Amino acid sequence: MQAMAHESPTFSPLYRQIKSLILQSLEGGEWRPGEVIPSETELAGRFGVSQGTVRKAVDELAAENLLLRRQGKGTYVASHNDPRAFFRFLRLEALKGDIGLSTSVPLECWRAKAGMEAARVLGLKLADPIVIVRRLLEFSGKPVVVDEIYLPGDVFGSLTLEMLKNWQGSLYSLFESEFGVRMVRAEERLRAVAADRSSAELLGVKEGSPLLSVERVSFSYGGRAVEWRRGLYSTAEHCYVNELS
Amino acid sequence: MQAMAHESPTFSPLYRQIKSLILQSLEGGEWRPGEVIPSETELAGRFGVSQGTVRKAVDELAAENLLLRRQGKGTYVASHNDPRAFFRFLRLEALKGDIGLSTSVPLECWRAKAGMEAARVLGLKLADPIVIVRRLLEFSGKPVVVDEIYLPGDVFGSLTLEMLKNWQGSLYSLFESEFGVRMVRAEERLRAVAADRSSAELLGVKEGSPLLSVERVSFSYGGRAVEWRRGLYSTAEHCYVNELS
DNA sequence: GAGTGGTCTAGACCACTGC
DNA sequence: CAGTGGTCTAGACCACTCG
């Protein structure tokens, strides 16, 4: 294993090549979410590099939340089943007091054909099969978010309302456990919109009152878009928090 | 210089102690924004540790955007005057096309006494002097954001509307150059609200139409809160983008 | 060519976990 | 106690910038 020296244009340091190899093993499912990956010394042996080089590769993957290091135990593949990462993608906070218990209430789940927008975002062809889910998110028993979720049919074809209703845990932990799809990264676009009739009813607000529209595209390993969702947040008693640095 | 070995409860690795020392020099103004700090080998000599240890400390500070590494040149103190970091805190994007040229239009600047809320957020006492700024942010000549900005008077007491009008560049670069205050981190809370009369006029939308309310607290070195601002964003043609990982 | 940060190595020792 | 990740060191060499 060698770094490409003396070849500036395509130069890539050794540890990044190692990082790619580890990523390939993650994508390929050699190590599954929640499992331990081999120790640093073992990986160093396998790849024929020093432990320090493996360490730097793993450091980056851990910084990207793909791996999780635990001193004395080992390095784990990050999982949405891990309570630590449970709400990593939900940036919601109560205006006063604690946010309380959250409940996901599945409303509908049906099959459809991808329109222009869905096809573009999910990297599908027009009219490819997709699955659409509508659900309500409640905090302390009060409805706060209505989500409409678009999923590629080739992967999520067998998803049903029953599965959603019976699942204990986050949506992403269901996707991970039942469909082998792990969300790794997401982009959100936020706007303020006026509540339409049906959303207003579900959220218990007046039609036309301001709602926070959150459009999210989620990516799995390898930058593959595997979810497109639009949430309408009632921000009467909650807000979306973000940290800038 | 030694790591505290054999003393588990307060154990702090050497590189973190070095990191604190560098942070102290930043806070104390030994190196100013935009300047180069001493080379890694020089710092290693000064602190009596190996270059690798300094490197790890600097790595963390660079990851937090406090320092900026440039291969072959040196390590710089991050600055809001640097065009690379110019819009680091503005997460705005046009729905279609490019965002275009941005212009800051100062509207008002007056002195006041801190109310309960401002005092709490900025860590002041009730009725301590503060400065309040109102300004409009335009993109391609169209108004998109109205900001109301609360600043502690002890630091920003001499800020005037004239200064704001004459300044070329971002607000934070003015704060940095003229008041020696560098924003390092910020927390934002987003909600959807209905436009009040005056904001609606300024933004060219109808009264009562939905706006994105962005409340921001900015921190300088050492976690000191030095700015509280509330922006109302018209999201008719723009959106707030956020990356989750 | 001299100086800077960036990569890679090999080896020693520390801190944490679980058997 | 053995095995894991975490820290620290010293030294070699590479890539980039500038005079």
Side-chain angles (χ1 to χ4, degrees), chain A residues 145-147 188-194 210-216 229-235 240, chain B residues 95 190-192 210-212 235 238-240:
Chain A
V145 182
V146 208
D147 274 319
E188 293 192 330
R189 271 160 238 279
L190 282 69
R191 302 175 59 210
V193 301
L211 294 179
L212 185 61
S213 158
V214 180
E215 213 173 290
R216 176 193 296 177
R229 81 160 64 174
R230 191 198 188 201
L232 292 173
Y233 294 44
S234 162
T235 55
Y240 180 105
Chain B
L95 289 184
L190 283 68
R191 302 177 57 209
L211 294 179
L212 185 61
T235 55
H238 296 80
C239 63
Y240 180 106

Side-chain angles (χ1 to χ4, degrees), chain A residues 3 13-15 48-50 52-53 56 71-73:
Chain A
L14 236 193
Y15 74 87
V49 300
S50 81
T53 301
K56 189 145 192 198
Q71 186 172 161
K73 302 189 71 174

